[in-house]
Amino acid sequence: MVGMARESSTAARLYQERSERFAHERDRCTARSRWIAHARLIAFLAAGGTLFWQLEPGARVSLPWLATVIVLALLFVVLVVHHNELKRRCDWFDRLSKLNEEGLSRIARDWGALPDWEYGAPDPEHPIVADLDLFGRASLSSLLSTVGTPQGSAKLCTYLMEPAASAIVQDRQAAAAELATLIDAREAITVRGRLMPKTTSGNVERFLGWAEGDPWLTSRRGLVCTSRLLPLVAASLIVLNAAGAVPYVTWAIALTVNLFVSFTAGRKLHEAFNRAFARESAFQQYAELFQLLSTTSFTAPLLTRSQSELTAGGLAAHTQMQRLHRLVGLSEIRYSMLYVPIQALTLWDFHVLHRLERWQQAAGRRVRPWLEALGVVDALAALSTLRFENPDWAFPEVTDGDPPMLEAQGLGHPLLSDDVRVVNDVSVGPPGSFLLITGSNMSGKSTLLRAIGVNVVLARAGAPVCASAMRLPPVQLESSMRVHDSLQQGLSHFRAELERLKGVVEAARRVTSDGSGAMLYLLDDIFQGTNTVERQIAARKVISHLLGTHAIGAVTSHDLQLAETDELSAACVPVHFRETIEEGSEGPIISFDYKLRAGIATSRNALKLLEIVGLADGEPGGREGDPDRRQE
């Protein structure tokens, strides 16, 4: 505990130093920005005043004064550009400062100060999502909230929800370990990702559908030639009219023809634009991210493979995305008041779309691999943050050995802070056995079960785990912990729990019959919605079914006689938590050390807890001698 706190404080000091440094840079930029804002206003007023004076009736135009107006106007433009750049830098440093403050909040497990997980749960109906607090506020996703891009969040969800083979886990571990040392690169990925506009997967797929599709305009050679010829004709007629060679009506007709062509093909043009620009304001951020990943030195195989994707086929991803960003800028004239006259004269949309389709043909089919590579690095960067903030956490050994077993030393719950977390040595397996965790109320049984589950999720994702050492096979994880009734579905609590447990047993049988690996089940005080006798019988049947498969698992229970059958007694590995009750001046005081001990629990505390909250004396219908009530 002390060692973990000391190591975490190292990360906390670095976060504090970086937050203060970036806040100082932000304040400097803000001060310069105010000065530039005043300077641009002065330049604008000076240029406007000088021009107004020169245009005063009867005043003679002076070339020096005219040159002064031009210089002041150019100075105003330069100051506007510089001011915009300063505002972007202010925002950049502000986001970096706040990101490091978030790091301090993660270390302290100050959930209220952390941003909400914005991407939702990949499968909110999956039991382990709610049972293990994987997504939402005060969840595992809160510890991984540095993921910045939509692609990174999708990849991270896949890592958390789907078990990976041991070789893949090892690749991810090596990448996460390397990224943990690259704090500047990791934070740049997060901030760039957060600068992107929020979008949906449908918008991304719509853009990818355009990028990977066939061009519309390029395949119509006649329309391309027409779009190039008509503006030349219109411009020539305007010049000839100015020279007095042709009447006004000739170029007016030419412009009308241009508008007719525009509006005839306009619907298809704008459909293509809308598909191409579904992510228009994100292209520059993608370019910056691709450039960052391309120029960072990596050695981990998974990182170098992702990096090579960004230059495969002789195309540099960041260069192509910057080119696309510039083309987007050329298309922005559609929203200008000058759009109609410019379109009528030049058929501007045709030329922009033609260049877009040339980009589409050259780079469109490379975009999906680029985004996939970005998602991999972003997800790994989020996992590496755990390594950076918790250097005492171990990378687990994920092996395909037989028999499958989970063994952990110093295992704790990752969502608890260092100053309150208590760690224990835990062993689950081999098949044919189960870990039975007993203990009185509030002693730590459910927390231990969730600690096992969350760490297994981290282990199979390739992240470090909250343990000094851990060894396990690639496992499919199933659980029954937080079961709720459903008025909408017409399910009582008991029926809902039956359905959940049926899924656990069927999953164990499926994994065994498929030979696809091992399954780990976690069951928390099952069938608590029925009487003691039937609860014990039902629980024994479920555990017996699971013992008949190749699954390994842990079960918590208040029923101390649960394993008192020949079959379960031989398979049971009993451990327990206990509490200490002392008499204080205002009544009994109960305390827990949350340390795991061998054997079945020998103490109960339900009636003492009633006494502590003032419900023991004079309780209506109280039957203190009822053995069933004492056991509860």
Side-chain angles (χ1 to χ4, degrees):
M1 291 288 294
V2 175
M4 284 189 174
R6 186 182 299 114
E7 294 292 344
S8 295
S9 66
T10 302
R13 284 195 298 270
L14 183 58
Y15 276 141
Q16 185 66 43
E17 183 273 327
R18 290 173 67 85
S19 177
E20 293 172 355
R21 173 157 53 89
F22 290 132
H24 178 66
E25 291 295 330
R26 175 200 61 204
D27 294 341
R28 286 182 57 193
C29 279
T30 301
R32 291 183 62 190
S33 177
R34 284 195 294 264
W35 185 88
I36 295 296
H38 295 152
R40 64 182 270 187
L41 177 62
I42 292 172
F44 175 79
L45 293 176
T50 304
L51 181 63
F52 179 77
W53 183 43
Q54 286 296 300
L55 295 178
E56 184 180 353
R60 182 180 177 184
V61 177
S62 169
L63 288 180
W65 282 105
L66 184 60
T68 301
V69 171
I70 295 174
V71 169
L72 289 172
L74 291 174
L75 177 62
F76 172 74
V77 172
V78 170
L79 290 173
V80 167
V81 173
H82 186 49
H83 189 220
N84 290 337
E85 178 60 26
L86 275 177
K87 288 193 292 185
R88 284 192 290 269
R89 287 178 60 81
C90 287
D91 183 50
W92 176 259
F93 287 127
D94 182 61
R95 288 174 181 268
L96 282 173
S97 177
K98 290 178 178 177
L99 182 59
N100 282 273
E101 290 176 3
E102 289 176 20
L104 293 171
S105 299
R106 281 193 302 275
I107 291 174
R109 303 304 190 262
D110 183 3
W111 307 114
L114 293 173
D116 291 334
W117 178 259
E118 300 178 348
Y119 303 101
D123 184 5
E125 299 301 319
H126 197 292
I128 69 170
V129 171
D131 285 351
L132 303 180
D133 300 303
L134 296 189
F135 297 95
R137 178 169 288 275
S139 67
L140 184 60
S141 65
S142 299
L143 288 184
L144 301 170
S145 58
T146 56
V147 64
T149 65
Q151 294 76 27
S153 69
K155 188 64 66 175
L156 181 61
C157 288
T158 301
Y159 289 177
L160 296 179
M161 297 300 295
E162 298 178 6
S166 57
I168 296 175
V169 170
Q170 291 167 9
D171 273 353
R172 293 176 188 171
Q173 290 177 351
E178 181 173 355
L179 284 168
T181 66
L182 304 175
I183 186 171
D184 290 325
R186 287 191 286 108
E187 292 189 347
I189 292 172
T190 300
V191 174
R192 290 287 179 199
R194 291 182 178 181
L195 285 171
M196 293 181 185
K198 301 307 173 188
T199 186
T200 64
S201 58
N203 283 340
V204 176
E205 285 302 318
R206 185 172 61 175
F207 166 69
L208 290 173
W210 170 82
E212 296 170 346
D214 297 322
W216 176 79
L217 180 60
T218 305
S219 62
R220 290 161 173 78
R221 295 179 179 270
L223 189 56
V224 173
C225 293
T226 300
S227 66
R228 293 174 176 174
L229 180 62
L230 289 179
L232 291 176
V233 172
S236 299
L237 291 175
I238 290 173
V239 172
L240 291 174
N241 174 252
V246 297
Y248 160 83
V249 70
T250 56
W251 65 265
I253 292 174
L255 295 185
T256 303
V257 170
N258 286 357
L259 288 175
F260 175 77
V261 172
S262 294
F263 291 120
T264 300
R267 184 175 64 85
K268 289 290 186 180
L269 283 170
H270 291 156
E271 283 180 2
F273 278 134
N274 290 336
R275 292 177 67 195
F277 300 157
R279 296 285 291 147
E280 58 182 78
S281 53
F283 292 147
Q284 183 59 34
Q285 299 305 327
Y286 278 124
E288 298 286 349
L289 282 168
F290 291 150
Q291 185 170 22
L292 171 66
L293 300 187
S294 297
T295 56
T296 303
S297 178
F298 294 129
T299 59
L302 188 52
L303 295 176
T304 57
R305 287 198 297 270
S306 298
Q307 192 176 52
S308 64
E309 283 287 354
L310 303 179
T311 55
L315 294 175
H318 67 278
T319 301
Q320 294 300 320
M321 295 306 284
Q322 286 170 347
R323 179 185 169 200
L324 183 59
H325 177 70
R326 289 192 294 269
L327 292 175
V328 170
L330 294 176
S331 75
E332 292 297 322
I333 198 172
R334 291 180 298 155
Y335 307 111
S336 168
M337 292 184 295
L338 299 176
Y339 171 66
V340 173
I342 291 176
Q343 181 69 11
L345 182 62
T346 65
L347 294 177
W348 182 262
D349 285 350
F350 287 87
H351 308 309
V352 173
L353 182 58
H354 184 60
R355 294 190 65 184
L356 269 172
E357 290 185 347
R358 289 176 59 189
W359 181 93
Q360 177 191 24
Q361 291 176 297
R365 295 187 181 277
R366 293 296 312 155
V367 177
R368 193 180 295 272
W370 293 341
L371 296 181
E372 174 76 11
L374 173 62
V376 168
V377 178
D378 191 12
L380 292 171
L383 297 182
S384 72
T385 300
L386 288 179
R387 177 66 168 178
F388 172 75
E389 294 173 354
N390 306 278
D392 274 5
W393 290 15
F395 280 112
E397 182 184 355
V398 181
T399 64
D400 298 307
D402 198 54
M405 285 191 64
L406 183 153
E407 297 174 298
Q409 289 78 50
L411 182 81
H413 199 305
L415 301 186
L416 297 176
S417 60
D418 290 345
D419 56 345
V420 300
R421 183 189 303 121
V422 177
V423 301
N424 287 286
D425 295 344
V426 179
S427 180
V428 182
S433 68
F434 71 100
L435 185 70
L436 177 61
I437 308 168
T438 58
S440 55
N441 299 287
M442 302 166 53
S443 60
K445 301 186 302 298
S446 299
T447 299
L448 176 63
L449 214 59
R450 293 190 175 92
I452 295 171
V454 176
N455 280 295
V456 166
V457 169
L458 287 173
R460 66 186 192 174
V465 295
C466 184
S468 57
M470 187 173 180
R471 183 177 182 272
L472 75 162
V475 294
Q476 178 175 324
L477 185 61
E478 297 289 339
S479 64
S480 179
M481 298 184 194
R482 291 171 175 156
V483 180
H484 303 286
D485 54 3
S486 173
L487 183 64
Q488 181 179 4
Q489 298 178 9
L491 289 178
S492 67
H493 182 278
F494 185 72
R495 181 57 185 269
E497 190 167 25
L498 283 175
E499 295 292 336
R500 175 79 68 86
L501 291 168
K502 177 184 176 183
V504 173
V505 173
E506 289 179 346
R509 290 171 176 167
R510 184 173 58 252
V511 171
T512 300
S513 62
D514 292 346
S516 55
M519 197 194 87
L520 171 68
Y521 58 87
L522 303 172
L523 309 181
D524 189 19
D525 205 13
I526 57 176
F527 296 125
Q528 54 185 308
T530 188
N531 64 75
T532 302
V533 174
E534 290 187 322
R535 176 169 63 245
Q536 289 179 354
I537 294 172
R540 287 166 181 165
K541 286 185 176 294
V542 170
I543 296 171
S544 295
H545 278 299
L546 291 170
L547 288 173
T549 69
H550 204 58
I552 59 175
V555 179
T556 69
S557 180
H558 283 90
D559 292 321
L560 306 185
Q561 296 81 27
L562 179 65
E564 291 182 357
T565 66
D566 291 340
E567 180 185 7
L568 296 189
S569 177
C572 173
V573 179
V575 293
H576 72 279
F577 292 99
R578 72 184 182 192
E579 74 286 333
T580 301
I581 300 178
E582 300 176 349
E583 292 297 330
S585 58
E586 299 181 359
I589 300 174
I590 188 167
S591 61
F592 305 92
D593 62 9
Y594 306 111
K595 298 301 294 185
L596 197 61
R597 295 171 173 85
I600 294 289
T602 58
S603 63
R604 305 176 179 89
N605 66 8
L607 297 182
K608 283 295 183 182
L609 288 173
L610 284 174
E611 185 179 347
I612 289 173
V613 299
L615 294 177
D617 295 335
E619 181 186 0
R623 292 182 294 149
E624 193 168 318
D626 188 330
D628 282 350
R629 291 178 60 83
R630 285 202 306 272
Q631 186 161 299
E632 295 302 314

